[in-house]
Amino acid sequence: MSHKAGFVNILGKPNAGKSTLMNQLVGEKLSIVTPKAQTTRHRILGIVSEDNYQIVYSDTPGYLESKYGLHRSMMKFVESAIEDADIILWVIDVTDQTDIQEYKEQIIQAPKLIVLLNKVDQLRDGEESLLITKWKTEVPHAVVLPISAEQGHNIGGLMGHILQLLPDGPAFYEKDELTDKSERFLAAEIVREKIFMNYRQEIPYACEVEVDSFKDEEKLLRINAMVYVERASQKGIVIGPKGAGLKKVGTEARKDLEAFFGKQVMLTLFVKVKENWRNDDRMLRYFGYNH
Ligand SMILES: Nc1nc2c(ncn2[C@@H]2O[C@H](COP(=O)(O)OP(=O)(O)O)[C@@H](O)[C@H]2O)c(=O)[nH]1
Ligand SMILES: [Mg+2]
């Protein structure tokens, strides 16, 4: 029996729906999703294996200006994902009218390219076919597909195209592996998602989450996580009046952790100030942005 395997890398602007799409394709919520740009900070693999194929998806951060050391590291994740792709899924948000498509020149040179017109659930009648024609003219060698990552529209069709384009070769990972990321990383990301949902302006961007201990006991997962902020004033905001802010984040995160790990979770959160961590090479390495 022949076997296919390859890297299918998901690229696109911030907020295009890349993480939503990867979660749909993998069938698990590996990558956090929020309405805010720059939610995803790492390159996260999602692996789908069957007897005769293995698809290794990569979710990536959207394009950013290099204001912080953190951002430069995030862009290296994007650049590596352009270089090592067997197939590129280029996610275009059809509701985003701004035409700046960073990395466009590199992306459209990819020999195996699928342009995904995402969020077609937001279009009016007739708009979809116009957009398909526009993109087919612009990138004639690419497959152009309208999808709704959120509603799962046309995800089956996309899978068919991916399998057709996937090269022959042996599996890269064990067939039962789901991601390259640890349970600790995924738990920290779930907490970070709740921070993105609950705080405004600069706070989500100034926060990083690190799981300090992850104990899998017989009936309970006991998780302690540290929320790092950049300034003492941010610590106060995250904790909130009488601890209400942190408590809300903790409760929401615990529910998602229990659903993800299929087990009762005891989550304890702490907050600590690490001055200027987004520009501190040593802290960035500590948080796994090690380029
Ligand atoms: N209406 C609609 N919204 C979507 C769709 N896909 C993603 N979104 C929303 O777009 C926002 C950004 O999604 P996310 O996956 O985090 O984008 P990323 O930054 O590219 O990873 C979230 O609020 C999603 O719920 C879609 O197909 N339709
Ligand atoms: Mg994302």
Side-chain angles (χ1 to χ4, degrees):
M1 187 173 65
S2 72
H3 191 276
K4 291 180 159 205
F7 285 86
V8 177
N9 299 346
I10 305 172
L11 296 162
K13 285 164 74 168
N15 240 20
K18 300 177 292 299
S19 298
T20 308
L21 174 65
M22 178 157 103
N23 293 339
Q24 278 284 1
L25 287 163
V26 177
E28 290 274 352
K29 194 177 164 192
L30 287 181
S31 217
I32 62 173
V33 172
T34 81
K36 294 192 171 69
Q38 308 171 22
T39 305
T40 308
R41 290 181 180 164
H42 292 263
R43 179 171 175 180
I44 299 168
L45 302 190
I47 306 165
V48 176
S49 299
E50 291 294 341
D51 286 344
N52 55 341
Y53 68 82
Q54 180 172 75
I55 306 171
V56 185
Y57 293 104
S58 286
D59 185 19
T60 61
Y63 177 83
L64 290 173
E65 297 283 327
S66 305
K67 191 167 155 198
Y68 291 99
L70 171 67
H71 294 167
R72 286 189 285 279
S73 170
M74 286 162 73
M75 285 312 94
K76 294 220 173 89
F77 289 128
V78 174
E79 284 153 20
S80 71
I82 296 177
E83 283 160 19
D84 70 17
D86 291 301
I87 302 169
I88 286 182
L89 306 184
W90 192 21
V91 184
I92 308 288
D93 179 346
V94 296
T95 67
D96 180 355
Q97 303 301 330
T98 56
D99 197 33
I100 312 156
Q101 293 289 345
E102 289 82 8
Y103 294 107
K104 181 175 182 174
E105 298 311 315
Q106 286 116 296
I107 290 172
I108 60 176
Q109 281 168 27
K112 293 180 177 179
L113 175 63
I114 303 180
V115 177
L116 295 171
L117 307 177
N118 189 35
K119 310 192 188 180
V120 291
D121 53 281
Q122 299 292 310
L123 290 180
R124 283 188 293 267
D125 285 350
E127 288 180 320
E128 184 177 312
S129 57
L130 284 175
L131 274 171
I132 296 173
T133 310
K134 170 182 170 261
W135 280 95
K136 281 203 164 137
T137 316
E138 190 148 357
V139 206
H141 73 282
V143 175
V144 179
L145 281 182
I147 61 165
S148 169
E150 196 167 67
Q151 299 183 358
H153 171 67
N154 219 358
I155 300 300
L158 170 59
M159 276 291 292
H161 284 283
I162 292 169
L163 286 175
Q164 259 182 6
L165 293 171
L166 205 65
D168 288 328
F172 294 94
Y173 294 88
E174 295 296 330
K175 288 273 170 127
D176 60 359
E177 272 182 82
L178 181 63
T179 179
D180 62 327
K181 294 286 183 276
S182 65
E183 290 180 324
R184 282 169 175 253
F185 174 87
L186 297 171
E189 287 288 276
I190 289 172
V191 175
R192 212 163 56 76
E193 179 183 78
K194 302 311 169 197
I195 292 173
F196 262 72
M197 303 299 270
N198 279 289
Y199 301 99
R200 298 193 300 176
Q201 293 169 348
E202 188 66 7
I203 296 291
Y205 303 102
C207 286
E208 182 60 84
V209 179
E210 186 79 6
V211 168
D212 291 331
S213 81
F214 188 103
K215 291 202 188 91
D216 196 353
E217 297 169 7
E218 199 183 336
K219 290 203 174 106
L220 189 73
L221 260 182
R222 209 179 281 277
I223 302 173
N224 290 354
M226 185 66 77
V227 178
Y228 289 93
V229 293
E230 288 190 317
R231 291 193 297 277
S233 59
Q234 294 165 342
K235 180 173 172 174
I237 294 171
V238 169
I239 293 172
K242 295 196 179 136
L246 199 61
K247 187 169 175 205
K248 183 155 182 281
V249 167
T251 306
E252 291 176 13
R254 179 180 50 76
K255 286 186 187 145
D256 279 22
L257 288 163
E258 287 180 340
F260 186 80
F261 290 110
K263 204 165 175 177
Q264 206 181 327
V265 169
M266 165 90 180
L267 173 67
T268 313
L269 297 176
F270 307 89
V271 186
K272 195 165 164 175
V273 180
K274 269 284 165 213
E275 297 278 343
N276 199 27
W277 67 263
R278 278 185 287 181
N279 260 325
D280 180 336
D281 280 344
R282 202 179 54 87
M283 284 313 291
L284 288 172
R285 267 197 304 280
Y286 176 72
F287 290 138
Y289 304 99
N290 40 355
H291 283 285

